[in-house]
Amino acid sequence: MTDDIAPYSHVALEGTVTTDEDPERLRKWATTIAGKYMGADRAEELGAQNGAPGEQVCRMKIVKINGMSSVTD
């Protein structure tokens, strides 16, 4: 992630990513994330929409984090 305006900040994560296409886990996480960002009233609707075949849950085992803030102004 990098800020688009000054003062700039930057974060980089390094690690191993695994993917999961299990329908039950996919719908569970899609519903949980939808509830957090779109509200509990839409969680089930968006969980069903985004927890569909062809989608994936990605997990990262982070081994290194680099970050800098206020790089320039």
Side-chain angles (χ1 to χ4, degrees):
M1 179 184 105
T2 303
D3 288 338
D4 293 333
I5 56 173
Y8 301 102
S9 298
H10 171 82
V11 175
L13 306 174
E14 294 180 28
T16 303
V17 175
T18 59
T19 60
D20 185 351
E21 296 182 27
D22 177 77
E24 287 183 35
R25 286 189 295 268
L26 181 57
R27 185 167 180 146
K28 174 194 175 286
W29 282 109
T31 302
T32 299
I33 293 166
K36 179 176 181 176
Y37 292 103
M38 302 302 291
D41 58 322
R42 298 199 60 206
E44 289 297 324
E45 167 201 353
L46 294 169
Q49 178 182 327
N50 295 314
E55 300 293 335
Q56 299 178 352
V57 173
C58 299
R59 293 181 183 86
M60 175 182 249
K61 181 173 175 130
I62 300 169
V63 296
K64 187 174 182 179
I65 302 172
N66 289 309
M68 298 175 71
S69 64
S70 300
V71 177
T72 64
D73 48 24

